[in-house]
Amino acid sequence: MRGLGGLWADLSDLVLPADCAGCRERRPGLRHGVCPECVSTLGALRPRSVRPSPAPAGLPPCFALGPYAGPLREALLAYKEHGRHGLARPLGALLAEVVAVAVGPVRPVTLVPVPDTAAAARARYGDHLDRLARHCADRLRRAGWPVRVLRPLRALPRPDSVTLDSAGRAAAAEAAFRFRPGGRGGGGRADATVVVLDDIVTTGATLAAVSRTLTAIGPSPAVAAVLAATEKRQRR
């Protein structure tokens, strides 16, 4: 699926700042958002199937580009938390590769990004998953995929997931999503494969909650596609 690629071309379109989004090192004369070494590391990642353990009820098969570590983690943090919005294009292109592997042969696809809460969208100057979904869809379309992005859900205020354990994440996610006015009408192709998009999967609670909500009005999501998957640390 590197035919979707051109990762270096995407990253080379980015201008200052001169510190690399992947390793945070400042290098003289650096004119790209990500340094060549980090581009190489990101380009070597291959989407694979991941599954939290235990997996919450309703979680569809999930695919991730790589673990939430190294340049991928730093690039996501730079994009989400530090205003590096120019990274949406290359990260969206990488997400398109995950979708392509998750779905298989080219076919109609409906992408449903997990929505930000209103507070998160304000803090980030826009819904970060919405931006990624648009670039993901653009890359897939250029590769010949019939794609539509739908946003039938809105996210209700909820606690920061960083402060929650697995049970807390599941409880918060369960009541976190509602249909937008008119969102129950669907709008995607009846024969399209529904793919839920997120940036990171940890316990799977959010993806499962979104999938259960969507199932209540139409076809169940076939797969979930994310950029990174957290890995449990072994207790010593």
Side-chain angles (χ1 to χ4, degrees):
M1 285 310 303
R2 292 290 142 168
L4 291 171
L7 178 59
W8 175 253
D10 288 331
L11 292 168
S12 66
D13 283 344
L14 305 180
V15 195
L16 296 175
D19 56 317
C20 170
C23 62
R24 297 191 180 185
E25 290 194 15
R26 185 173 294 270
R27 303 188 181 190
L30 182 66
R31 298 185 58 204
H32 310 296
V34 179
C35 71
E37 289 82 358
C38 288
V39 168
S40 178
T41 299
L42 292 172
L45 296 173
R46 295 294 181 269
R48 61 184 177 88
S49 175
V50 297
R51 193 109 186 132
S53 180
L59 179 67
C62 186
F63 286 75
L65 179 67
Y68 186 54
L72 182 58
R73 176 182 183 274
E74 295 304 321
L76 279 169
L77 286 173
Y79 169 60
K80 287 176 61 176
E81 309 301 340
H82 303 301
R84 301 281 290 271
H85 292 168
L87 290 166
R89 180 179 171 186
L91 289 175
L94 291 172
L95 189 56
E97 295 187 9
V98 182
V99 172
V101 170
V103 172
V106 175
R107 67 189 71 179
V109 169
T110 296
L111 304 178
V112 181
V114 173
D116 265 343
T117 63
R122 285 194 299 270
R124 295 167 178 160
Y125 298 96
D127 189 313
H128 77 289
L129 249 299
D130 182 62
R131 282 193 296 265
L132 289 182
R134 285 187 278 111
H135 287 289
C136 174
D138 287 344
R139 182 54 60 95
L140 288 167
R141 290 188 190 107
R142 292 203 297 273
W145 292 66
V147 180
R148 184 165 187 180
V149 180
L150 293 184
R151 304 168 187 81
L153 305 179
R154 62 186 180 92
L156 303 181
R158 59 184 184 272
D160 188 340
S161 61
V162 174
T163 66
L164 303 175
D165 58 13
S166 296
R169 286 172 182 262
E174 191 61 35
F177 302 101
R178 294 289 186 274
F179 292 106
R180 295 182 185 277
R184 292 176 179 269
R189 289 178 53 160
D191 62 340
T193 298
V194 179
V195 182
V196 180
L197 302 181
D198 206 350
D199 53 354
I200 305 165
V201 60
T202 301
T203 65
T206 296
L207 290 170
V210 168
S211 297
R212 288 193 299 268
T213 305
L214 293 172
T215 299
I217 62 163
S220 299
V223 292
V226 304
L227 284 168
T230 59
E231 298 179 333
K232 282 190 174 181
R233 296 179 180 176
Q234 298 297 324
R235 292 184 179 179
R236 295 183 178 180

